Amino acid sequence: MNGRVLRIELRRSVAPWAGIVVLGGSLAVFFLIDGIWWKGTAGWTAQWTTMAMWTRYWLVFWWPLVVGLGAAYGMRDSRSRMTELLTTTPMPAWRRAALPAGTLALVLAAGFGLLVLVGGVQVALGATTYTSLDWLPISLVAALALVAGAVFGMGVARALPSVLTPPALVLVFFTLAGQLLRQRGDEALPTSIVPNRLSLLSPASVEPRQMLLTLSGSVHLGQTIWLLGLLATGLALLTAVTRRARLLAVTPLLTGAALALLVLPAAARDSYVVDKAAAALVCDGPVCVTQANRSRLPELAPRGKEALSRLHDALGDQAPNSVREDTALRAVGDEREFSADVVLVDFDERLFADAKGEELTRALVAQGLTPSCRAYNTREGGGREAMAVQSIAASWALGDPRLVPLEEKGDDSYGTWAQADVAWAKLTALSPAEQRSRIAEVHASTVSCTSYNQLQLLAGVASR
């Protein structure tokens, strides 16, 4: 396929629309909608791996559409009533199929490649200092999925030249991709409602929630085998001229699916794994963060050391002696396990998401004195009472003359901040020794997660 023929094919066919759908549709979603893909450490431009995972996530929409566009493209000969004429030409069938299939594959690879390039440039220009090529297989498999799906659609349309074929393929693949991607609640790891191996036949990945999660090597291998079988079947259907050849063309698809099911992991914990290189800790004295968030260490280290000093003044020998980024995998709203010696920092948590300077010191003191049993991050609501308790503890430890909220009070329809003002007044009315004893009691209850109404504890009303 020379350049002149390629230019003619691009100018006179619908092939460019496939690349435009993938590139333009994804960029429109990313840049025109202020969604969760812009928030936290798992945002699409926050880290290389999450960027690749977010582009994979949108395949749940683009993959079925690309299959349908491929089918529409594959019906070109039948719509123009040239099928019989072309079959009588001396050119081999595979050469006739190579031009449209190669053009479509090139356009899709270019469109998806530009999408990854846009995301990669933003990641490179962002705050992250962690670079790794572990994200590359995620994007390469996605590009293969788009090409294989489009060529398969072309082959099916060539074998079944009906006006209903493209919309039927879109409906089937959209339903298939959506059902395979459905999850069973908000668990620590993405868990499908169908068997895990079957769910991984969909090239779309789940919505990234934790930056340390990536796809395992067995997932890449299994999906590659399955998609190569899909691609081979599409090419075989494009070149088949007899009914027997069309029936045999299904063999690569079935073989690829069978081999893939043998390779793909059976459990979610073997599909989505922690990137050990990204999760490795980097420390400055008693303050540690992951390699993925190494760029945050220069600011966190001095603030963490100052916070530890404040905590020692408040709690004495019971105070934490280190600050460490939280790397545990938990479901949304799950309780987390604490150690009295460590202040856990989660950069997705509302307390730390946008904290800078003195606000960061205050947040670390609050987390060290009254850690929240549940991490309320920037994507979910809740945690109003935990934030009020932490505001009281931090204000007391930092010697503030009045209660300083860690976040805007906003709508106080539940009266949480009104209760916090009462608890603050009662706490500060006590003698210094009694105040210290009250804070120590609340600290012990929050670390062990044995009390769920610390506001009443601060006010001197025991509640379990």
Side-chain angles (χ1 to χ4, degrees):
M1 182 169 55
N2 58 45
R4 179 173 174 271
V5 174
L6 177 62
R7 287 194 298 272
I8 293 174
E9 187 72 14
L10 290 173
R11 189 169 60 248
R12 296 183 179 181
S13 71
V14 299
W17 285 104
I20 292 173
V21 165
V22 174
L23 175 62
S26 299
L27 292 180
V29 172
F30 282 136
F31 287 99
L32 299 182
I33 302 176
D34 185 19
I36 59 176
W37 41 86
W38 286 111
K39 300 175 182 177
T41 58
W44 92 286
T45 59
Q47 305 285 346
W48 289 99
T49 299
T50 55
M51 179 273 294
M53 293 289 281
W54 272 113
T55 55
R56 280 283 290 269
Y57 170 74
W58 292 112
L59 290 188
V60 70
F61 300 107
W62 309 142
W63 195 46
L65 289 177
V66 163
V67 173
L69 287 172
Y73 193 23
M75 289 179 58
R76 181 176 59 177
D77 294 346
S78 62
R79 285 198 307 269
S80 58
R81 299 179 181 178
M82 295 178 58
T83 304
E84 185 176 352
L85 174 63
L86 291 174
T87 55
T88 61
T89 61
M91 181 181 292
W94 69 265
R95 290 191 61 185
R96 291 199 306 272
L99 176 61
T103 302
L104 191 56
L106 181 63
V107 168
L108 284 170
F112 187 78
L114 286 174
L115 172 63
V116 173
L117 178 63
V118 170
V121 168
Q122 294 192 79
V123 174
L125 296 177
T128 184
T129 56
Y130 175 71
T131 56
S132 170
L133 293 179
D134 291 343
W135 62 272
L136 198 55
I138 300 174
S139 295
L140 290 177
V141 172
L144 175 61
L146 291 170
V147 172
V151 174
F152 178 76
M154 291 179 64
V156 172
R158 184 70 62 87
L160 301 172
S162 168
V163 70
L164 298 178
T165 299
L169 284 175
V170 172
L171 180 61
V172 169
F173 273 73
F174 186 78
T175 303
L176 179 67
Q179 288 298 318
L180 293 181
L181 205 62
R182 287 181 62 189
Q183 291 178 254
R184 187 183 292 110
D186 287 321
E187 300 184 13
L189 290 172
T191 306
S192 176
I193 63 172
V194 299
N196 190 68
R197 287 192 173 101
L198 285 178
S199 71
L200 292 173
L201 293 180
S202 170
S205 64
V206 297
E207 167 196 313
R209 283 184 172 270
Q210 299 188 20
M211 67 164 183
L212 297 178
L213 282 185
T214 187
L215 292 170
S216 66
S218 57
V219 172
H220 298 320
L221 178 59
Q223 289 183 336
T224 299
I225 293 172
W226 147 246
L227 292 171
L228 286 176
L230 189 70
L231 176 62
T233 290
L235 291 173
L237 287 173
L238 276 175
T239 58
V241 294
T242 65
R243 180 176 297 179
R244 183 172 180 272
R246 294 189 183 101
L247 292 175
L248 290 176
V250 184
T251 303
L253 173 66
L254 298 178
T255 303
L259 292 176
L261 291 175
L262 293 176
V263 173
L264 291 170
R269 61 179 173 272
D270 297 321
S271 305
Y272 291 86
V273 296
V274 173
D275 186 337
K276 294 181 179 179
L281 293 180
V282 182
C283 301
D284 181 347
V287 181
C288 299
V289 297
T290 61
Q291 279 281 5
N293 280 322
R294 186 171 187 168
S295 59
R296 296 178 182 262
L297 187 58
E299 181 180 15
L300 182 67
R303 296 296 173 183
K305 294 170 185 176
E306 180 184 354
L308 291 175
S309 176
R310 294 279 190 171
L311 290 169
H312 185 269
D313 293 340
L315 298 173
D317 294 339
Q318 303 301 316
N321 52 34
S322 63
V323 176
R324 179 173 58 81
E325 183 178 352
D326 189 5
T327 59
L329 300 180
R330 292 183 308 276
V332 175
D334 264 7
E335 290 188 0
R336 49 187 175 186
E337 296 182 2
F338 291 109
S339 169
D341 297 332
V342 179
V343 179
L344 288 180
V345 175
D346 183 348
F347 291 111
D348 277 330
E349 195 171 355
R350 296 208 312 268
L351 188 62
F352 298 103
D354 300 313
K356 304 288 184 182
E358 293 296 332
E359 290 183 0
L360 181 55
T361 303
R362 183 176 292 273
L364 289 166
V365 171
Q367 182 74 343
L369 281 176
T370 55
S372 173
C373 293
R374 294 181 175 86
Y376 296 97
N377 65 32
T378 55
R379 299 182 182 186
E380 285 82 28
R384 184 182 287 106
E385 181 178 336
M387 191 67 72
V389 171
Q390 291 179 326
S391 298
I392 294 173
S395 297
W396 176 83
L398 295 172
D400 295 324
R402 58 184 179 82
L403 174 60
V404 180
L406 287 166
E407 67 176 3
E408 293 184 6
K409 293 183 177 181
D411 178 23
D412 194 28
S413 56
Y414 292 96
T416 302
W417 287 105
Q419 295 178 47
D421 290 333
V422 172
W424 171 258
K426 291 186 177 182
L427 175 67
T428 54
L430 300 173
S431 66
E434 290 176 318
Q435 291 179 27
R436 187 179 299 275
S437 175
R438 185 71 55 81
I439 290 294
E441 181 185 0
V442 173
H443 170 71
S445 71
T446 53
V447 169
S448 60
C449 293
T450 56
S451 175
Y452 296 93
N453 199 332
Q454 281 85 21
L455 277 178
Q456 292 190 18
L457 284 176
L458 283 169
V461 181
S463 176
R464 304 296 290 181

